[in-house]
Each structure stands twice: as C-alpha cells, then as structure tokens.
Amino acid sequence: MAAPKVAVVGAGVVGLSTALCIAETFPACSLAVVADRFTPDTTSDVAAGMLIPHTAPGTPIHVQKQWFKETFTYLFAISNSAEASEAGIHPVSGWQIFKSTPKEELPFWSDIVLGFRPMSEAELQKFPQHRFGQAFTTLKCDCPPYLLWLEKRLKAKDVQLYTRKVANLWELHSEYNIVVNCAGIGAHQLVGDQKLFPVRGQVLKVHAPWVKNFVRDGDGLTYIYPGIHSVTLGGTREKESWSLSPDPSTTKDVFDRCCSLEPSLQRAQDIRVKVGLRPTRACVRLQKEVLSQGGAKLLVVHNYGHGAGGFSTHWGTAKEAARLVGECIAYLQGSSSRAKL
C-alpha cells in the first residue's frame, strides 16, 4: 500500500510532540498537523512549562511515573545540548513548601527530578508561614520557544502544518488514513467528550530577572516559576469556567499571594496577564478508536485530557500515541494485503 497519511489535530505541546514522535518513529508516513491555532495562541503558551507532575486520579501511578520519567529524560538531554537555548529548556532549582507536613512522605516523582531532599531549617526561615518543605531541581520549558523549536523539527522532517478549524474528525477522512486527536479542551466539542472539562488558569508573566529559584506552595495554587525572559506567577484552578477574559481582582490576588512568598516581586515590571483552559478529565484519554460511517472506517488515536500536567508528561504520552499509530498502520497494511488476495 501507499505510505499511510496521518493527520494530528492540535498544535499545543501535546499535538506537536506527538507529531514529532510519529515522524521519528515512522519516517515513511505522510504527516500533517492541522490546528486552528498555533503558537503563540495555544493553551500551552499560557502554561509555565514546569516539570512538576500533577497526580491524575484515574491513571495508575506507575503509568504516570513512566510518562514523567520519559519526558524528563528527553528534555534533560536537550537541556545538556547545543539546542537548549533555542528550545527554551533549562534546569531550575527551588522549593515546594507546606504549612503542615504532607501525608505522603515522598511524591512519586521524587527520584526522577534532581537532588530531591527536605529543606533545611535555614532555607525554611525564608518562608515563616510554612513549616515543611522540599528542595529539588527540575526542568522548565519556556513557551513559545519550545513550541517553535518543535515546529522547526517537524518542518525539517517535511511535516506539513495547516491552519484550519476542524469541526468533525470525519472531515479528514477523504485525505487521511489515520487521525490523531490532540485537540486539548477542543475535544469537548470535537468528539463530544462530556468527561472533559476546563480548569481555568489565570497567570501573570512579569519581568523580575533577579528571581532565580522557583517557589511552589504545596497546594499548587500559588507559585513563582522563573523562565528565561519572564517569571510566571500563579495561579488559579477554576473548574468548569470557560472564560478567557482576565479578571482584575484575580490579578491582584495572584500578585499579592506571590509577593507574600517573595517580597522582592513588588518591584516587578511589565506585568502581563494570561488566561488558559486546562483540558481536564479523570485520566488522560490515550487510546485507539475505529469510527464507522456509511460503511467507511476512520482510524483514530486519542491523546488529550492532560489537565495541568501536559508539559510534565507530553513526551511519555507522545511515545504511547505513536505506538498506537503503529498498530493502526499495521492494521491498514494487513487489510491492504488481504484485499489483494
């Protein structure tokens, strides 16, 4: 049969990395990325891009750990290469702090990040409202540089990027054998997934180059994440809110909370407000599906619903999605050879 034609729907971090993984694994494929928005207008562009996993209740811990480990290993190699600056990937050290000792002794990812340890008494003096903390070094992907770097890698492999609104996966049936759905929150309408809901996040991007260490409150709501060009201050977790309009009272609340942890942020300049909708469900939807319509079949691989953990797990889930695409290709080749008999 002719080379399979594969379309990846979605151009956030999950869509682009999944497309790259497919292109690297199956170079004979004819591959395209189709999305209504590319960087700098994706949900991923709002994200801080920190590799600190968020536990997904519906996914086994050993699976989440594998996804995170594969992602961390992949990005750590880039951070140690000549590509690090262009890709916007860099290590960052800091603290996760708690007002009381957490129930779980160690998070499942503690042996994957670097140098994980309890904070010293001297370190805790910086945060008088907090009684316990953990220090470690992790990685940060700055957006949009990372998305632009992924796009560049895709173009080098002759992957086509098309700006197009897809309202129904069947629209792609006449052009493609396999469709990979990485539509993020767009999957709510695209495939009618009622288990998928937005968790609205409002963050501030500020100029404060003296801030070198990350700080994350243990509840995950208040955080300070320094990047190459700006510091991300957060945040909010508003379930079922679809609003993309910044709320001025939320801006003040986020800024005040972050200044209580790092008073020097009062001097921050160039404060920009960003809003994104985290595509959230009990577990990432990572599976194959065969759609049928009027005797025709469309092979689909779903990879969406990463919630707040897209950057922490994107390469691990991309590898699994590429494996499922391989199963679809084998199915197509099998039916093609049967048709010839």
Side-chain angles (χ1 to χ4, degrees):
M1 67 175 274
K5 292 186 173 181
V6 182
V8 176
V9 179
V13 68
V14 172
L16 294 182
S17 58
T18 298
L20 183 58
C21 217
I22 294 166
E24 290 179 348
T25 312
F26 306 104
C29 271
S30 173
L31 186 61
V33 176
V34 183
D36 59 340
R37 289 175 301 170
F38 285 80
T39 185
D41 300 316
T42 72
T43 300
S44 297
D45 286 287
V46 179
M50 286 287 287
L51 267 71
I52 300 176
H54 294 252
T55 305
T59 305
I61 289 293
H62 74 273
V63 174
Q64 297 183 57
K65 183 168 184 175
Q66 181 67 20
W67 290 344
F68 179 61
K69 185 174 185 179
E70 289 174 343
T71 305
F72 195 94
T73 301
Y74 174 74
L75 293 176
F76 189 55
I78 298 169
S79 76
N80 287 316
S81 76
E83 302 274 301
S85 177
E86 186 185 353
I89 300 169
H90 53 101
V92 57
S93 300
W95 306 285
Q96 178 165 256
I97 52 177
F98 301 85
K99 291 194 169 75
S100 59
T101 307
K103 290 178 190 156
E104 57 174 21
E105 285 298 301
L106 294 172
F108 71 84
W109 42 265
S110 60
D111 59 343
I112 297 171
V113 298
L114 308 176
F116 189 95
R117 60 176 175 79
M119 283 169 67
S120 68
E121 288 299 319
E123 286 172 307
L124 277 169
Q125 284 175 11
K126 181 174 168 64
F127 309 104
Q129 303 296 314
H130 294 75
R131 299 183 54 189
F132 177 79
Q134 298 154 339
F136 56 95
T137 298
T138 188
L139 298 168
K140 187 176 186 302
C141 295
D142 274 37
C143 265
Y146 183 56
L147 297 187
L148 289 170
W149 181 80
L150 287 171
E151 284 185 12
K152 182 180 171 183
R153 297 279 304 277
L154 287 167
K155 288 171 184 172
K157 293 185 176 297
D158 296 322
V159 176
Q160 303 299 309
L161 308 182
Y162 296 115
T163 304
R164 168 181 165 183
K165 172 80 175 167
V166 179
N168 186 309
L169 294 180
W170 276 104
E171 288 175 27
L172 302 168
H173 176 252
S174 61
E175 300 169 69
Y176 301 98
N177 311 105
I178 302 165
V179 175
V180 186
N181 170 21
C182 299
I185 197 64
H188 188 272
Q189 272 194 306
L190 184 63
V191 294
D193 187 342
Q194 298 303 309
K195 295 177 182 175
L196 182 71
F197 59 92
V199 174
R200 182 182 181 277
Q202 181 169 319
V203 300
L204 316 181
K205 307 276 185 175
V206 308
H207 184 66
W210 60 88
V211 176
K212 303 296 185 190
N213 295 103
F214 75 81
V215 182
R216 180 182 191 273
D217 200 296
D219 62 11
L221 269 184
T222 306
Y223 49 84
I224 300 164
Y225 293 150
I228 297 169
H229 301 297
S230 64
V231 181
T232 301
L233 309 183
T236 66
R237 295 190 188 285
E238 300 160 69
K239 286 186 178 180
E240 303 283 0
S241 171
W242 290 89
S243 171
L244 287 168
S245 302
D247 180 323
S249 63
T250 300
T251 297
K252 182 180 184 308
D253 176 54
V254 169
F255 190 69
D256 290 348
R257 279 189 277 133
C258 290
C259 286
S260 73
L261 296 179
E262 181 52 71
S264 71
L265 283 168
Q266 295 281 4
R267 308 200 313 271
Q269 303 285 315
D270 184 26
I271 297 171
R272 291 167 293 134
V273 185
K274 300 275 190 179
V275 177
L277 305 179
R278 304 175 182 97
T280 307
R281 64 202 303 281
C283 60
V284 175
R285 188 178 184 194
L286 191 46
Q287 62 184 165
K288 288 183 305 185
E289 185 178 19
V290 181
L291 301 182
S292 299
Q293 186 172 296
K297 287 184 179 179
L298 179 63
L299 302 182
V300 177
V301 172
H302 299 284
N303 183 17
Y304 68 86
H306 294 67
F311 275 90
S312 293
T313 58
H314 70 275
W315 194 254
T317 58
K319 286 179 73 171
E320 176 63 12
R323 188 185 68 76
L324 295 174
V325 167
E327 291 182 4
C328 292
I329 292 170
Y331 172 83
L332 287 171
Q333 289 170 338
S335 28
S336 166
S337 60
R338 282 194 298 275
K340 287 175 187 169
L341 294 175

